[in-house]
Every structure is written in structure tokens, then in C-alpha cells.
Amino acid sequence: MDAQIDEILRKNQLSVTGSRKRILELFLMSNGALAHGDIEKKTGEKFDRVTVYRTLQTFLEKGIIHNIPTADNSVLYALCKDDCSEGHHHDNHVHFICSECGKTICLADVTVPEVKLPGGFLPHEYQMVVTGLCKECR
Amino acid sequence: MDAQIDEILRKNQLSVTGSRKRILELFLMSNGALAHGDIEKKTGEKFDRVTVYRTLQTFLEKGIIHNIPTADNSVLYALCKDDCSEGHHHDNHVHFICSECGKTICLADVTVPEVKLPGGFLPHEYQMVVTGLCKECR
DNA sequence: GTTGGTGCAAAAATTTTGCAGGGTG
DNA sequence: CACCCTGCAAAATTTTTGCACCAAC
């Protein structure tokens, strides 16, 4: 795990620092989406709030994580797949939001279907969000 | 138009007030999604910022509008179709967000394709957001 | 007249920015 | 050692809450 973290950071030309390692570790462990608040809690507020903001921003720019839309418009981040390059996400799986427990789940196996757009539109990224009840809450 | 607005408000057991009429009118005219900031601008700041917040909140609860998740996690609202009842939305058309001019366009003719979910998930609403360049900006 | 909505003020929460010190490569 | 990252402080922005007044029914 530790080696994996280092590799991800180095591959993106980022210096390996404590906060980056820890936050990246959280994403690898959680296997889901994290909010800014989650990260603060899970690190035990060991890092400055500002550092968390900047680290997330950096990860976003490098394409290590992406942000995902949620039902209540809070800000959630999730790990990108390996084939995300800088500024270019191929993260077109479906996100499921449970309206009961509020959890956001990445349905990695469900790919976003292609849609035909009216002429003139130049699509760049597709996102799909399904809301409903998850396994536990139904 | 004015009669239509009154009817919508009355149908939802809301008193007909200036701000509600104006904000609802904006949604009917825009035929697309509006951000909180858009509304403040388009009303010429005639109404208190707080009133706008509360009006939007009320409309949300009544199911007159719904919020749209966007790629950059800004908060957008759009009118619900007629068959939206309270807390029950069937607004499954595609939203297009232009990354150049920032406009959000409802592609009413493009329906969201059905996707197969893994067992256990009980879907309620499908939303799809496409980002890219619109006709004017490409 | 009663109920509910609005505006104002203030507080709370979230996010951004500047700068000096410290860790990384 | 040069550079980038972090923490602290402060500012800017966004959202929420309380209360008195006014408008809608």
C-alpha cells in the first residue's frame, strides 16, 4: 500500500509529503467517495484545513481524483481510475446516491451509455447519477 | 404566463407573492437551469438574498423545481415537469453544461437511456449531465 | 384578524489568499 | 541549497438563523 501511494504521487510529479500520503491512503482504503469533512475527521484534524483544500485541489488537477455530483450538492471526491490523465477523465461509470442514507456509491461496472446529442454540441464528458435506495436501505 | 404562474403556486398551496412570481417566471422563461447567483442578477437584486434562498428551498420542497448535480459542484435548479409530484421527480432528460460560457441547457428531446444496475439497488431517478461546448462556443 | 412571507441584521460555515517557516528532492 | 509544501492568520464568500414588520388570504 505504501509503495503504491508513493508510486502514484511520483508518477504525477508530486513531492511525497505526509498529508498527501495520508489523504491518498484514505481514498485507497475507502473505495468510495469522500467529502472534505470526512477527510478532516478521518485524519483527526492532524492537518490544517487549508492543506486539505490544497491537497484535494492538487489531486484534482493531476487527475488523481475527480469530484462527483451529489443529490444535495455537497462536494464529494473519488479516486480516478488508472486511465485518467491530467485534465482528462475517463471516469464514466455511474454514481448511485442513496436517498435514505445519503451514501454515494461508484458503480464501477456500470458504464455510462452513449447518447445522441442534437447537432452542434461537442460533448467532452458524460456523467450519470442515479438516486434511489441502496442495498442496505431498501 | 401570469395565469400559469399563479396556478402553479396555488396548486402547491403557496401564497402568491412578488418574489415567488418573479422567480418562477425566470424559470419558465429560461427553459433551463439557474444558479442562485443567476437569479439574484436577473431580478436586479430586487429581492433580498435570503428571500431567494428561502424561495428556492420552498420550491424544492414542493417539487416545483429540483436541483441538478453538475461537474463542478455548483448548485443549479431547474423546473420540474408537470408529472413531478411532491418529492417525486420524473425529470429524466439530459442536461448539457457548456464549459466555455457556463450555460446549462436542457436537452428535452434527449431521454436518459436506461441502465442496468447491479442487484439490490432500487433506482428512483436518473440524471445525466454532459459537459462540453455548446453551439455558440465551439 | 390570523397566518405566513419578507427584509434586515448578525452569526455560522465554507472556501480562498498571502506570507513566513520548514520539509523534500 | 533551491524549491515546493505546510501552517497560521485573515479575508472573502456562501448559507443559515432570529426577529420585527408587512402582505396575503
Side-chain angles (χ1 to χ4, degrees):
Chain A
M1 163 85 97
D2 220 53
Q4 188 190 356
I5 292 172
D6 280 29
E7 193 203 320
I8 294 175
L9 290 176
R10 228 169 285 132
K11 199 167 64 185
N12 287 283
Q13 295 145 44
L14 293 174
S15 31
V16 180
T17 66
S19 64
R20 284 177 183 170
K21 277 166 75 170
R22 183 78 185 93
I23 292 175
L24 193 45
E25 187 188 23
L26 284 180
F27 276 109
L28 286 169
M29 290 191 313
S30 84
N31 192 35
L34 293 176
H36 179 272
D38 294 333
I39 294 167
E40 282 191 89
K41 271 177 223 130
K42 296 204 181 185
T43 53
E45 273 115 19
K46 192 181 158 196
F47 303 107
D48 195 274
R49 180 195 297 277
V50 177
T51 300
V52 176
Y53 276 111
R54 285 194 274 225
T55 303
L56 289 173
Q57 189 58 44
T58 304
F59 284 180
L60 268 182
E61 284 164 8
K62 291 295 183 180
I64 299 174
I65 60 175
H66 64 281
N67 56 20
I68 56 185
T70 67
D72 64 342
N73 285 290
S74 56
V75 186
L76 287 184
Y77 305 90
L79 266 188
C80 285
K81 301 269 195 56
D82 293 337
D83 55 358
C84 282
S85 57
E86 190 155 343
H88 225 38
H89 297 294
H90 304 282
D91 189 76
N92 42 6
H93 57 266
V94 175
H95 291 108
F96 188 92
I97 302 173
C98 179
S99 47
E100 186 67 25
C101 63
K103 241 182 237 156
T104 300
I105 299 151
C106 291
L107 302 179
D109 300 333
V110 185
T111 50
V112 176
E114 288 287 316
V115 290
K116 269 243 174 62
L117 298 179
F121 290 101
L122 198 63
H124 169 61
E125 185 183 359
Y126 294 85
Q127 293 207 49
M128 185 154 188
V129 181
V130 183
T131 50
L133 296 179
C134 72
K135 289 176 191 173
E136 282 77 30
C137 297
R138 63 177 303 180
Chain B
M1 163 84 97
D2 221 52
Q4 188 189 356
I5 292 172
D6 282 26
E7 193 203 319
I8 293 174
L9 289 176
R10 226 167 290 133
K11 200 167 63 186
N12 287 282
Q13 295 146 44
L14 293 173
S15 32
V16 180
T17 66
S19 64
R20 286 177 183 170
K21 277 167 75 171
R22 183 79 186 92
I23 292 175
L24 192 46
E25 187 188 23
L26 283 180
F27 276 109
L28 286 169
M29 290 193 313
S30 84
N31 190 35
L34 295 175
H36 180 272
D38 294 334
I39 294 168
E40 283 194 87
K41 269 177 225 130
K42 296 206 182 184
T43 53
E45 274 116 18
K46 190 182 160 194
F47 304 107
D48 195 275
R49 179 197 298 278
V50 177
T51 299
V52 176
Y53 275 111
R54 287 195 273 224
T55 303
L56 289 173
Q57 188 57 43
T58 304
F59 285 180
L60 269 182
E61 285 163 8
K62 290 295 182 179
I64 299 174
I65 60 175
H66 63 280
N67 57 19
I68 305 173
T70 65
D72 65 342
N73 285 290
S74 56
V75 186
L76 287 183
Y77 305 90
L79 264 189
C80 288
K81 300 267 194 59
D82 292 338
D83 55 358
C84 282
S85 56
E86 191 155 341
H88 228 41
H89 299 295
H90 303 282
D91 189 75
N92 43 4
H93 58 267
V94 176
H95 292 106
F96 188 92
I97 302 176
C98 179
S99 47
E100 187 67 25
C101 63
K103 241 181 238 156
T104 299
I105 299 150
C106 286
L107 303 178
D109 300 334
V110 184
T111 49
V112 175
E114 288 287 315
V115 290
K116 268 246 173 62
L117 298 179
F121 290 99
L122 197 62
H124 169 61
E125 184 185 359
Y126 295 84
Q127 293 207 54
M128 188 154 187
V129 180
V130 184
T131 50
L133 296 179
C134 73
K135 289 177 189 172
E136 282 78 30
C137 297
R138 62 177 306 180

PDB file of all heavy atoms in Angstrom, chain B residues 8-35:
ATOM      1  N   ILE B   8     -49.597  27.481 -10.750  1.00  0.00           N
ATOM      2  CA  ILE B   8     -48.572  26.604 -10.177  1.00  0.00           C
ATOM      3  C   ILE B   8     -48.454  26.847  -8.677  1.00  0.00           C
ATOM      4  O   ILE B   8     -48.413  25.917  -7.875  1.00  0.00           O
ATOM      5  CB  ILE B   8     -47.204  26.843 -10.860  1.00  0.00           C
ATOM      6  CG1 ILE B   8     -47.256  26.389 -12.317  1.00  0.00           C
ATOM      7  CG2 ILE B   8     -46.099  26.098 -10.120  1.00  0.00           C
ATOM      8  CD1 ILE B   8     -46.008  26.705 -13.115  1.00  0.00           C
ATOM      9  N   LEU B   9     -48.414  28.121  -8.312  1.00  0.00           N
ATOM     10  CA  LEU B   9     -48.258  28.440  -6.896  1.00  0.00           C
ATOM     11  C   LEU B   9     -49.464  27.954  -6.096  1.00  0.00           C
ATOM     12  O   LEU B   9     -49.319  27.348  -5.040  1.00  0.00           O
ATOM     13  CB  LEU B   9     -48.069  29.948  -6.713  1.00  0.00           C
ATOM     14  CG  LEU B   9     -46.730  30.501  -7.199  1.00  0.00           C
ATOM     15  CD1 LEU B   9     -46.685  32.009  -7.056  1.00  0.00           C
ATOM     16  CD2 LEU B   9     -45.574  29.879  -6.426  1.00  0.00           C
ATOM     17  N   ARG B  10     -50.643  28.221  -6.640  1.00  0.00           N
ATOM     18  CA  ARG B  10     -51.835  27.854  -5.885  1.00  0.00           C
ATOM     19  C   ARG B  10     -51.983  26.336  -5.785  1.00  0.00           C
ATOM     20  O   ARG B  10     -52.395  25.810  -4.758  1.00  0.00           O
ATOM     21  CB  ARG B  10     -53.073  28.492  -6.521  1.00  0.00           C
ATOM     22  CG  ARG B  10     -53.950  29.130  -5.441  1.00  0.00           C
ATOM     23  CD  ARG B  10     -55.019  30.031  -6.011  1.00  0.00           C
ATOM     24  NE  ARG B  10     -54.457  31.255  -6.579  1.00  0.00           N
ATOM     25  CZ  ARG B  10     -54.793  31.725  -7.779  1.00  0.00           C
ATOM     26  NH1 ARG B  10     -55.651  31.080  -8.534  1.00  0.00           N
ATOM     27  NH2 ARG B  10     -54.253  32.857  -8.216  1.00  0.00           N
ATOM     28  N   LYS B  11     -51.602  25.669  -6.866  1.00  0.00           N
ATOM     29  CA  LYS B  11     -51.690  24.213  -6.869  1.00  0.00           C
ATOM     30  C   LYS B  11     -50.824  23.619  -5.753  1.00  0.00           C
ATOM     31  O   LYS B  11     -51.099  22.544  -5.229  1.00  0.00           O
ATOM     32  CB  LYS B  11     -51.236  23.679  -8.227  1.00  0.00           C
ATOM     33  CG  LYS B  11     -51.720  22.282  -8.533  1.00  0.00           C
ATOM     34  CD  LYS B  11     -51.503  21.955 -10.010  1.00  0.00           C
ATOM     35  CE  LYS B  11     -50.036  21.953 -10.401  1.00  0.00           C
ATOM     36  NZ  LYS B  11     -49.847  21.776 -11.853  1.00  0.00           N
ATOM     37  N   ASN B  12     -49.774  24.336  -5.401  1.00  0.00           N
ATOM     38  CA  ASN B  12     -48.881  23.837  -4.364  1.00  0.00           C
ATOM     39  C   ASN B  12     -49.144  24.486  -3.014  1.00  0.00           C
ATOM     40  O   ASN B  12     -48.299  24.450  -2.120  1.00  0.00           O
ATOM     41  CB  ASN B  12     -47.431  24.061  -4.781  1.00  0.00           C
ATOM     42  CG  ASN B  12     -47.001  23.115  -5.872  1.00  0.00           C
ATOM     43  OD1 ASN B  12     -46.717  21.966  -5.621  1.00  0.00           O
ATOM     44  ND2 ASN B  12     -46.985  23.591  -7.104  1.00  0.00           N
ATOM     45  N   GLN B  13     -50.285  25.090  -2.890  1.00  0.00           N
ATOM     46  CA  GLN B  13     -50.685  25.699  -1.629  1.00  0.00           C
ATOM     47  C   GLN B  13     -49.675  26.711  -1.115  1.00  0.00           C
ATOM     48  O   GLN B  13     -49.327  26.735   0.058  1.00  0.00           O
ATOM     49  CB  GLN B  13     -50.909  24.614  -0.561  1.00  0.00           C
ATOM     50  CG  GLN B  13     -52.075  23.692  -0.879  1.00  0.00           C
ATOM     51  CD  GLN B  13     -51.787  22.292  -0.396  1.00  0.00           C
ATOM     52  OE1 GLN B  13     -51.306  22.118   0.716  1.00  0.00           O
ATOM     53  NE2 GLN B  13     -52.081  21.296  -1.214  1.00  0.00           N
ATOM     54  N   LEU B  14     -49.196  27.531  -2.047  1.00  0.00           N
ATOM     55  CA  LEU B  14     -48.277  28.593  -1.658  1.00  0.00           C
ATOM     56  C   LEU B  14     -48.962  29.932  -1.907  1.00  0.00           C
ATOM     57  O   LEU B  14     -49.651  30.102  -2.924  1.00  0.00           O
ATOM     58  CB  LEU B  14     -46.997  28.523  -2.490  1.00  0.00           C
ATOM     59  CG  LEU B  14     -46.113  27.303  -2.253  1.00  0.00           C
ATOM     60  CD1 LEU B  14     -44.974  27.287  -3.252  1.00  0.00           C
ATOM     61  CD2 LEU B  14     -45.580  27.298  -0.838  1.00  0.00           C
ATOM     62  N   SER B  15     -48.774  30.842  -1.003  1.00  0.00           N
ATOM     63  CA  SER B  15     -49.358  32.151  -1.264  1.00  0.00           C
ATOM     64  C   SER B  15     -48.607  32.842  -2.400  1.00  0.00           C
ATOM     65  O   SER B  15     -47.407  32.658  -2.581  1.00  0.00           O
ATOM     66  CB  SER B  15     -49.352  33.009  -0.001  1.00  0.00           C
ATOM     67  OG  SER B  15     -48.270  32.713   0.811  1.00  0.00           O
ATOM     68  N   VAL B  16     -49.339  33.605  -3.140  1.00  0.00           N
ATOM     69  CA  VAL B  16     -48.795  34.230  -4.342  1.00  0.00           C
ATOM     70  C   VAL B  16     -48.153  35.561  -3.969  1.00  0.00           C
ATOM     71  O   VAL B  16     -48.843  36.537  -3.702  1.00  0.00           O
ATOM     72  CB  VAL B  16     -49.912  34.454  -5.377  1.00  0.00           C
ATOM     73  CG1 VAL B  16     -49.355  35.112  -6.623  1.00  0.00           C
ATOM     74  CG2 VAL B  16     -50.593  33.142  -5.721  1.00  0.00           C
ATOM     75  N   THR B  17     -46.855  35.579  -3.962  1.00  0.00           N
ATOM     76  CA  THR B  17     -46.156  36.806  -3.576  1.00  0.00           C
ATOM     77  C   THR B  17     -45.255  37.269  -4.712  1.00  0.00           C
ATOM     78  O   THR B  17     -44.993  36.526  -5.660  1.00  0.00           O
ATOM     79  CB  THR B  17     -45.287  36.568  -2.331  1.00  0.00           C
ATOM     80  OG1 THR B  17     -44.248  35.664  -2.674  1.00  0.00           O
ATOM     81  CG2 THR B  17     -46.105  35.988  -1.198  1.00  0.00           C
ATOM     82  N   GLY B  18     -44.785  38.485  -4.577  1.00  0.00           N
ATOM     83  CA  GLY B  18     -43.973  39.082  -5.623  1.00  0.00           C
ATOM     84  C   GLY B  18     -42.739  38.280  -5.960  1.00  0.00           C
ATOM     85  O   GLY B  18     -42.472  37.982  -7.122  1.00  0.00           O
ATOM     86  N   SER B  19     -41.974  37.923  -4.950  1.00  0.00           N
ATOM     87  CA  SER B  19     -40.721  37.228  -5.210  1.00  0.00           C
ATOM     88  C   SER B  19     -40.973  35.859  -5.828  1.00  0.00           C
ATOM     89  O   SER B  19     -40.261  35.441  -6.744  1.00  0.00           O
ATOM     90  CB  SER B  19     -39.925  37.095  -3.918  1.00  0.00           C
ATOM     91  OG  SER B  19     -40.619  36.300  -2.996  1.00  0.00           O
ATOM     92  N   ARG B  20     -41.967  35.176  -5.326  1.00  0.00           N
ATOM     93  CA  ARG B  20     -42.237  33.842  -5.868  1.00  0.00           C
ATOM     94  C   ARG B  20     -42.665  33.921  -7.326  1.00  0.00           C
ATOM     95  O   ARG B  20     -42.238  33.105  -8.150  1.00  0.00           O
ATOM     96  CB  ARG B  20     -43.321  33.158  -5.037  1.00  0.00           C
ATOM     97  CG  ARG B  20     -42.798  32.695  -3.711  1.00  0.00           C
ATOM     98  CD  ARG B  20     -43.880  32.090  -2.860  1.00  0.00           C
ATOM     99  NE  ARG B  20     -43.350  31.714  -1.555  1.00  0.00           N
ATOM    100  CZ  ARG B  20     -44.091  31.337  -0.539  1.00  0.00           C
ATOM    101  NH1 ARG B  20     -45.397  31.291  -0.661  1.00  0.00           N
ATOM    102  NH2 ARG B  20     -43.529  30.998   0.601  1.00  0.00           N
ATOM    103  N   LYS B  21     -43.519  34.905  -7.627  1.00  0.00           N
ATOM    104  CA  LYS B  21     -43.951  35.057  -9.006  1.00  0.00           C
ATOM    105  C   LYS B  21     -42.765  35.362  -9.913  1.00  0.00           C
ATOM    106  O   LYS B  21     -42.596  34.748 -10.966  1.00  0.00           O
ATOM    107  CB  LYS B  21     -45.000  36.180  -9.109  1.00  0.00           C
ATOM    108  CG  LYS B  21     -46.390  35.733  -8.763  1.00  0.00           C
ATOM    109  CD  LYS B  21     -47.351  36.877  -8.558  1.00  0.00           C
ATOM    110  CE  LYS B  21     -47.785  37.549  -9.826  1.00  0.00           C
ATOM    111  NZ  LYS B  21     -48.890  38.513  -9.582  1.00  0.00           N
ATOM    112  N   ARG B  22     -41.918  36.276  -9.447  1.00  0.00           N
ATOM    113  CA  ARG B  22     -40.791  36.690 -10.291  1.00  0.00           C
ATOM    114  C   ARG B  22     -39.811  35.548 -10.511  1.00  0.00           C
ATOM    115  O   ARG B  22     -39.328  35.324 -11.628  1.00  0.00           O
ATOM    116  CB  ARG B  22     -40.077  37.864  -9.623  1.00  0.00           C
ATOM    117  CG  ARG B  22     -38.941  38.434 -10.423  1.00  0.00           C
ATOM    118  CD  ARG B  22     -39.441  39.332 -11.531  1.00  0.00           C
ATOM    119  NE  ARG B  22     -38.351  39.795 -12.406  1.00  0.00           N
ATOM    120  CZ  ARG B  22     -37.985  39.169 -13.515  1.00  0.00           C
ATOM    121  NH1 ARG B  22     -38.600  38.064 -13.876  1.00  0.00           N
ATOM    122  NH2 ARG B  22     -36.997  39.642 -14.264  1.00  0.00           N
ATOM    123  N   ILE B  23     -39.497  34.837  -9.459  1.00  0.00           N
ATOM    124  CA  ILE B  23     -38.508  33.765  -9.580  1.00  0.00           C
ATOM    125  C   ILE B  23     -39.061  32.621 -10.417  1.00  0.00           C
ATOM    126  O   ILE B  23     -38.363  32.058 -11.265  1.00  0.00           O
ATOM    127  CB  ILE B  23     -38.082  33.280  -8.175  1.00  0.00           C
ATOM    128  CG1 ILE B  23     -37.286  34.383  -7.474  1.00  0.00           C
ATOM    129  CG2 ILE B  23     -37.258  32.012  -8.260  1.00  0.00           C
ATOM    130  CD1 ILE B  23     -36.924  34.078  -6.042  1.00  0.00           C
ATOM    131  N   LEU B  24     -40.312  32.314 -10.212  1.00  0.00           N
ATOM    132  CA  LEU B  24     -40.930  31.266 -11.019  1.00  0.00           C
ATOM    133  C   LEU B  24     -40.961  31.672 -12.488  1.00  0.00           C
ATOM    134  O   LEU B  24     -40.712  30.861 -13.383  1.00  0.00           O
ATOM    135  CB  LEU B  24     -42.348  30.997 -10.495  1.00  0.00           C
ATOM    136  CG  LEU B  24     -43.060  29.747 -11.005  1.00  0.00           C
ATOM    137  CD1 LEU B  24     -42.131  28.533 -10.974  1.00  0.00           C
ATOM    138  CD2 LEU B  24     -44.294  29.495 -10.151  1.00  0.00           C
ATOM    139  N   GLU B  25     -41.222  32.935 -12.708  1.00  0.00           N
ATOM    140  CA  GLU B  25     -41.237  33.454 -14.080  1.00  0.00           C
ATOM    141  C   GLU B  25     -39.873  33.262 -14.743  1.00  0.00           C
ATOM    142  O   GLU B  25     -39.773  32.879 -15.904  1.00  0.00           O
ATOM    143  CB  GLU B  25     -41.606  34.943 -14.058  1.00  0.00           C
ATOM    144  CG  GLU B  25     -41.818  35.558 -15.427  1.00  0.00           C
ATOM    145  CD  GLU B  25     -41.989  37.072 -15.350  1.00  0.00           C
ATOM    146  OE1 GLU B  25     -41.517  37.687 -14.353  1.00  0.00           O
ATOM    147  OE2 GLU B  25     -42.576  37.639 -16.256  1.00  0.00           O
ATOM    148  N   LEU B  26     -38.820  33.526 -13.985  1.00  0.00           N
ATOM    149  CA  LEU B  26     -37.479  33.353 -14.523  1.00  0.00           C
ATOM    150  C   LEU B  26     -37.252  31.919 -14.985  1.00  0.00           C
ATOM    151  O   LEU B  26     -36.674  31.670 -16.039  1.00  0.00           O
ATOM    152  CB  LEU B  26     -36.435  33.711 -13.463  1.00  0.00           C
ATOM    153  CG  LEU B  26     -36.205  35.194 -13.213  1.00  0.00           C
ATOM    154  CD1 LEU B  26     -35.155  35.381 -12.135  1.00  0.00           C
ATOM    155  CD2 LEU B  26     -35.760  35.875 -14.495  1.00  0.00           C
ATOM    156  N   PHE B  27     -37.708  30.982 -14.181  1.00  0.00           N
ATOM    157  CA  PHE B  27     -37.533  29.582 -14.560  1.00  0.00           C
ATOM    158  C   PHE B  27     -38.328  29.260 -15.816  1.00  0.00           C
ATOM    159  O   PHE B  27     -37.834  28.590 -16.726  1.00  0.00           O
ATOM    160  CB  PHE B  27     -37.977  28.669 -13.413  1.00  0.00           C
ATOM    161  CG  PHE B  27     -36.912  28.464 -12.382  1.00  0.00           C
ATOM    162  CD1 PHE B  27     -37.026  29.029 -11.124  1.00  0.00           C
ATOM    163  CD2 PHE B  27     -35.788  27.705 -12.673  1.00  0.00           C
ATOM    164  CE1 PHE B  27     -36.036  28.843 -10.173  1.00  0.00           C
ATOM    165  CE2 PHE B  27     -34.804  27.514 -11.726  1.00  0.00           C
ATOM    166  CZ  PHE B  27     -34.927  28.086 -10.465  1.00  0.00           C
ATOM    167  N   LEU B  28     -39.547  29.762 -15.882  1.00  0.00           N
ATOM    168  CA  LEU B  28     -40.376  29.479 -17.055  1.00  0.00           C
ATOM    169  C   LEU B  28     -39.767  30.070 -18.314  1.00  0.00           C
ATOM    170  O   LEU B  28     -39.822  29.482 -19.388  1.00  0.00           O
ATOM    171  CB  LEU B  28     -41.786  30.039 -16.839  1.00  0.00           C
ATOM    172  CG  LEU B  28     -42.660  29.253 -15.864  1.00  0.00           C
ATOM    173  CD1 LEU B  28     -43.926  30.021 -15.523  1.00  0.00           C
ATOM    174  CD2 LEU B  28     -43.013  27.894 -16.457  1.00  0.00           C
ATOM    175  N   MET B  29     -39.178  31.237 -18.182  1.00  0.00           N
ATOM    176  CA  MET B  29     -38.596  31.890 -19.344  1.00  0.00           C
ATOM    177  C   MET B  29     -37.276  31.255 -19.753  1.00  0.00           C
ATOM    178  O   MET B  29     -36.978  31.117 -20.930  1.00  0.00           O
ATOM    179  CB  MET B  29     -38.385  33.372 -19.072  1.00  0.00           C
ATOM    180  CG  MET B  29     -39.687  34.166 -18.991  1.00  0.00           C
ATOM    181  SD  MET B  29     -39.390  35.938 -19.038  1.00  0.00           S
ATOM    182  CE  MET B  29     -38.054  36.123 -17.839  1.00  0.00           C
ATOM    183  N   SER B  30     -36.465  30.927 -18.772  1.00  0.00           N
ATOM    184  CA  SER B  30     -35.112  30.469 -19.077  1.00  0.00           C
ATOM    185  C   SER B  30     -35.109  29.117 -19.762  1.00  0.00           C
ATOM    186  O   SER B  30     -34.205  28.796 -20.516  1.00  0.00           O
ATOM    187  CB  SER B  30     -34.286  30.379 -17.810  1.00  0.00           C
ATOM    188  OG  SER B  30     -34.526  29.156 -17.171  1.00  0.00           O
ATOM    189  N   ASN B  31     -36.101  28.311 -19.472  1.00  0.00           N
ATOM    190  CA  ASN B  31     -36.161  26.976 -20.048  1.00  0.00           C
ATOM    191  C   ASN B  31     -34.847  26.215 -19.840  1.00  0.00           C
ATOM    192  O   ASN B  31     -34.353  25.518 -20.689  1.00  0.00           O
ATOM    193  CB  ASN B  31     -36.469  27.042 -21.537  1.00  0.00           C
ATOM    194  CG  ASN B  31     -36.766  25.662 -22.100  1.00  0.00           C
ATOM    195  OD1 ASN B  31     -37.359  24.838 -21.413  1.00  0.00           O
ATOM    196  ND2 ASN B  31     -36.340  25.414 -23.298  1.00  0.00           N
ATOM    197  N   GLY B  32     -34.280  26.436 -18.697  1.00  0.00           N
ATOM    198  CA  GLY B  32     -33.030  25.768 -18.413  1.00  0.00           C
ATOM    199  C   GLY B  32     -32.739  25.852 -16.938  1.00  0.00           C
ATOM    200  O   GLY B  32     -33.618  26.165 -16.138  1.00  0.00           O
ATOM    201  N   ALA B  33     -31.520  25.603 -16.596  1.00  0.00           N
ATOM    202  CA  ALA B  33     -31.159  25.586 -15.196  1.00  0.00           C
ATOM    203  C   ALA B  33     -30.643  26.950 -14.757  1.00  0.00           C
ATOM    204  O   ALA B  33     -30.031  27.672 -15.527  1.00  0.00           O
ATOM    205  CB  ALA B  33     -30.097  24.531 -14.946  1.00  0.00           C
ATOM    206  N   LEU B  34     -30.924  27.299 -13.535  1.00  0.00           N
ATOM    207  CA  LEU B  34     -30.466  28.563 -12.986  1.00  0.00           C
ATOM    208  C   LEU B  34     -29.711  28.322 -11.688  1.00  0.00           C
ATOM    209  O   LEU B  34     -30.080  27.469 -10.896  1.00  0.00           O
ATOM    210  CB  LEU B  34     -31.656  29.486 -12.709  1.00  0.00           C
ATOM    211  CG  LEU B  34     -32.456  29.972 -13.911  1.00  0.00           C
ATOM    212  CD1 LEU B  34     -33.659  30.758 -13.454  1.00  0.00           C
ATOM    213  CD2 LEU B  34     -31.575  30.819 -14.815  1.00  0.00           C
ATOM    214  N   ALA B  35     -28.661  29.106 -11.511  1.00  0.00           N
ATOM    215  CA  ALA B  35     -27.951  29.064 -10.247  1.00  0.00           C
ATOM    216  C   ALA B  35     -28.500  30.166  -9.359  1.00  0.00           C
ATOM    217  O   ALA B  35     -29.158  31.100  -9.829  1.00  0.00           O
ATOM    218  CB  ALA B  35     -26.455  29.263 -10.469  1.00  0.00           C
TER     219      ALA B  35
END
